[in-house]
Amino acid sequence: MPAVTVDNILTLPRIPMPDATAVPRPVRSVTTAPTGYEGEGFPVRRAFAGLDMSSLDPFIHMDQMGEVNYAPGEPKGTPWHPHRGFETVTYMIDGIMEHKDSHGGGGIISGGDTQWMTAGGGILHIEAPPEHLVLSGGLFHGVQLWVNLPRENKMAHPRYQDITGSKVALASSPDGGALVRVIAGEIAGMQGPGSTYTPIALSHSTVAPGAALTLPWNPDYNAVVYVLAGEGTVGAEKRPIRMGQTALFGRGDTIEMSASGVGESLEVFVLGGRPIREPVAMAGPFVMNTKSEVLQAFEDYQAGRLGVPVE
């Protein structure tokens, strides 16, 4: 799981030790993501399945894509499809994905890169492996997250952010046992490159076998940890957790996690945000505030008002 690594983690800024008065966030639940298929048939784990949506606000949906090792001719993507009312964040760990949208955004992302698409008032896009990867096959692994937009930004002009791995802010735990990659928001004074409408923090951390990581966390944000690989524990109560499981935390100042002393590193996607606390009406690719707005989105899409596919 390469993503972004460094030759010497001890040269990076250190995550500070928590203050003596800091309150560890308790673990409210640990759930296991069911598996399914997306787009033209690539396997996913539904990270938020079974969780109360109000506890995840402003996040709507998250899939772990893969990890799958495709044979030649097998790599799959998604056909052209619409979105309105939220943002899609695609983070690639292994493999290559090509993105195009009806507003001219797009590019190729690979290990450690992030594409951040604000659908806003409406957009069509397509995500697919490039032709050479289809021919050769190979490893494919990533995450796609949907971030809700506040009512006043639902119809914002669509935009696309190409966040290469080289732009991600890097830090280490005090003893060098964990590498933290900050993709968006602020964590321990480290600012990620992603520009967001909704205040959030988003990161991917690698915790070496037997090591631990304590992240200071904005007390106004909720907190979620999803395990991409490995196993270990979360919270001061040391709840067991493993690949494909999601931990939802209660209120507090810090998030604690540790990796098992044997086997592979613990790879975690850590995210949280300030809840929007607005009604959510969601159907398929549209996330709005009311049912009538969703119906209008379908009507606009069918009438071609969200754009047209481009070559």
Side-chain angles (χ1 to χ4, degrees):
M1 186 175 293
V4 176
T5 59
V6 293
D7 292 332
N8 183 2
I9 193 172
L10 297 178
T11 63
L12 297 175
R14 306 294 178 91
I15 302 290
M17 295 289 291
D19 186 271
T21 61
V23 177
R25 289 183 174 235
V27 178
R28 290 175 51 189
S29 66
V30 174
T31 54
T32 301
T35 58
Y37 291 91
E38 189 57 72
E40 296 172 341
F42 61 86
V44 296
R45 288 184 174 88
R46 308 291 193 189
F48 292 163
L51 293 173
D52 178 17
M53 294 302 297
S54 65
S55 300
L56 299 169
D57 183 13
F59 306 112
I60 296 294
H61 171 84
M62 191 168 82
D63 280 341
Q64 180 182 9
M65 306 180 295
E67 183 176 7
V68 58
N69 201 350
Y70 283 120
E74 287 187 342
K76 300 174 176 66
T78 66
W80 282 96
H81 59 282
H83 289 305
R84 172 180 279 179
F86 66 103
E87 302 181 288
T88 63
V89 181
T90 304
Y91 174 62
M92 288 299 297
I93 301 167
D94 288 293
I96 305 172
M97 182 71 81
E98 186 173 8
H99 166 95
K100 292 181 183 178
D101 67 49
S102 55
H103 281 258
I108 293 177
I109 58 172
S110 57
D113 297 341
T114 302
Q115 64 174 22
W116 198 298
M117 188 186 77
T118 302
I123 199 168
L124 303 186
H125 80 140
I126 185 172
E127 297 164 301
E131 185 177 355
H132 71 85
L133 186 63
V134 175
L135 294 174
S136 66
L139 193 61
F140 178 84
H141 191 197
V143 176
Q144 185 168 96
L145 172 70
W146 291 12
V147 185
N148 198 10
L149 285 170
R151 188 190 305 271
E152 65 267 23
N153 301 125
K154 288 286 188 190
M155 301 297 286
H157 186 74
R159 69 175 180 180
Y160 177 81
Q161 299 177 67
D162 182 13
I163 304 172
T164 60
S166 62
K167 298 176 183 177
V168 171
L170 302 177
S172 91
S173 58
D175 63 359
L179 172 63
V180 179
R181 308 165 185 87
V182 185
I183 300 167
E186 182 270 331
I187 299 175
M190 305 296 296
Q191 185 70 43
S195 174
T196 72
Y197 282 95
T198 307
I200 65 172
L202 182 62
S203 67
H204 169 203
S205 294
T206 301
V207 186
L213 173 64
T214 299
L215 290 176
W217 208 250
N218 189 322
D220 294 333
Y221 289 7
N222 51 23
V224 181
V225 169
Y226 178 77
V227 179
L228 297 163
E231 60 182 32
T233 66
V234 286
E237 57 269 57
K238 299 192 179 301
R239 287 276 297 272
I241 197 167
R242 55 177 170 78
M243 185 191 76
Q245 292 189 320
T246 304
L248 180 65
F249 290 77
R251 299 184 64 83
D253 304 309
T254 61
I255 302 172
E256 297 184 9
M257 62 206 83
S258 61
S260 171
V262 295
E264 61 185 327
S265 296
L266 180 69
E267 301 281 351
V268 289
F269 206 59
V270 185
L271 62 158
R274 182 180 300 145
I276 297 174
R277 305 193 193 286
E278 293 178 354
V280 174
M282 178 178 174
F286 306 124
V287 181
M288 305 303 290
N289 294 117
T290 66
K291 181 179 178 180
S292 63
E293 290 171 341
V294 172
L295 293 174
Q296 183 64 54
F298 275 108
E299 181 180 321
D300 289 345
Y301 167 57
Q302 292 164 354
R305 289 191 284 268
L306 301 191
V308 295
V310 295
E311 294 298 328

